Amino acid sequence: METTDLSTVRWIHGALDCDRSTDPPLQVVAADEDTFVIRQSKCVDFEAPFVYLLLGTETALLHDTGATADADLFPIRRTVEDLIAGRSLRIVVTHSHGHGDHWAGDAQFTDVPPGSVAPIGDAEVAAFFEIEDWPTGDSTMDLGDRPIDVIPTPGHLGDHIVLFDRTRGFLLSGDVLLPGRLTVRDWSAFRESMSRLARFARETAARGRPIRHILGGHIEMSTTGELYELGTIYQPDEAPLPLTVADLFALEAMLDEAGEGPRSIPANRFVVEPMDGA
Ligand SMILES: [Zn+2]
Ligand SMILES: [Zn+2]
């Protein structure tokens, strides 16, 4: 199978003057023939989230739908249909978490069969994935020869989940681990989530299925480790999207050392930022 090295991809990254930008509303990169990483343009929405399309033999899983509902501005549905054209797959939509920049595009999927779009909210997400003991339990969905582990990771938001694609070794980490701000609303929940995620990483490696890439929901940092200003529409020198399992273990250790009290933790590839009142 032909694969693309995601650490060297040059993503669309906005413009100083979006009126003169010729960037498309979204960029599709095929990591392999059944795995697509899609980036929304900063000229459509400054959040410029990444969304992921994973194809099994039965199901096309779209994880997150982007920051924009309007199909004319951000044609995520049409893009997905084009990418799966010629294959007989049912579409399932899931979300990393309930922040609007990760599910606004759901508006383009209102006509899919009932039960095909995951809900928002921790109790609802737990029920959708049949996770009984949220957040310490987990579950697995199968796209057809492509099992995906679903791991609850509250802390950034209460309904946050991380997906692990066993066949590729991709950990889709949403907003809990990305090259940028790791915004923490619930400090103790976040510490526990990252500790569980690190344990998952060790266990899956022990089973011979190590995490190869950690792929998050945004890039907010430059190659030299500086954070871009919040809300910027131009990031000319972006850090690579993928993080590694070493970054996850570093985060676990930093949170362990930080203890119970929320505090900012700057690191080379991300910055932990507790929200006020966390
Ligand atoms: Zn978020
Ligand atoms: Zn986000």
Side-chain angles (χ1 to χ4, degrees):
M1 189 176 355
E2 220 173 302
T3 60
T4 301
D5 180 358
L6 293 174
S7 58
T8 60
V9 172
R10 181 91 174 131
W11 301 100
I12 53 172
H13 50 264
L16 282 172
D17 179 358
C18 281
D19 289 340
R20 300 170 69 163
S21 167
T22 54
D23 283 350
L26 49 78
Q27 173 188 11
V28 178
V29 168
D32 58 60
E33 61 197 12
D34 298 318
T35 308
F36 302 91
V37 184
I38 302 168
R39 207 236 181 126
Q40 180 166 4
S41 169
K42 275 194 161 279
C43 288
V44 178
D45 189 291
F46 79 87
E47 292 280 7
F50 288 85
V51 311
Y52 296 90
L53 179 65
L54 313 179
L55 310 185
T57 57
E58 291 157 19
T59 301
L61 174 68
L62 181 65
H63 189 53
D64 286 347
T65 56
T68 302
D70 188 336
D72 291 331
L73 297 174
F74 179 64
I76 185 65
R77 173 71 181 271
R78 201 186 67 223
T79 301
V80 169
E81 300 280 3
D82 288 349
L83 290 170
I84 67 178
R87 311 194 208 195
S88 141
L89 298 174
R90 74 178 189 121
I91 296 175
V92 170
V93 174
T94 58
H95 310 103
S96 57
H97 64 296
H99 283 152
D101 53 318
H102 299 266
W103 58 260
D106 284 17
Q108 299 173 33
F109 293 86
T110 50
D111 62 330
V112 293
S116 306
V117 179
I120 298 301
D122 47 0
E124 292 81 356
V125 170
F128 182 86
F129 292 108
E130 297 175 357
I131 299 172
E132 278 174 23
D133 37 358
W134 180 279
T136 53
D138 53 28
S139 79
T140 306
M141 59 180 154
D142 192 357
L143 313 181
D145 295 330
R146 193 164 187 180
I148 307 289
D149 294 304
V150 183
I151 306 153
T153 48
H156 171 74
L157 198 62
D159 63 0
H160 201 291
I161 56 168
V162 163
L163 301 186
F164 181 59
D165 179 355
R166 295 182 195 173
T167 62
R168 307 303 196 274
F170 290 164
L171 191 79
L172 307 185
S173 55
D175 282 5
V176 299
L177 186 49
L178 52 80
R181 295 174 186 82
L182 313 185
T183 313
V184 180
R185 175 183 289 213
D186 182 332
W187 185 258
S188 69
F190 188 72
R191 288 182 72 214
E192 285 166 25
S193 290
M194 293 309 102
S195 153
R196 277 200 314 277
L197 200 55
R199 193 181 329 134
F200 175 87
R202 285 186 278 269
E203 286 169 0
T204 195
R207 284 192 290 261
R209 294 191 293 259
I211 295 171
R212 288 203 303 118
H213 276 324
I214 297 179
L215 303 170
H218 306 272
I219 297 174
E220 300 170 344
M221 210 176 227
S222 73
T223 51
T224 53
E226 270 157 277
L227 286 173
Y228 288 106
E229 213 175 304
L230 210 61
T232 186
I233 54 164
Y234 183 51
Q235 299 186 164
D237 182 33
E238 288 186 334
L241 174 65
L243 296 176
T244 67
V245 77
D247 294 310
L248 172 58
F249 293 146
L251 174 60
E252 179 197 31
M254 288 174 207
L255 289 170
D256 202 37
E257 199 192 309
E260 307 278 317
R263 63 178 180 85
S264 276
I265 309 174
N268 289 337
R269 298 244 27 223
F270 53 80
V271 177
V272 180
E273 287 193 349
M275 286 175 69
D276 289 343

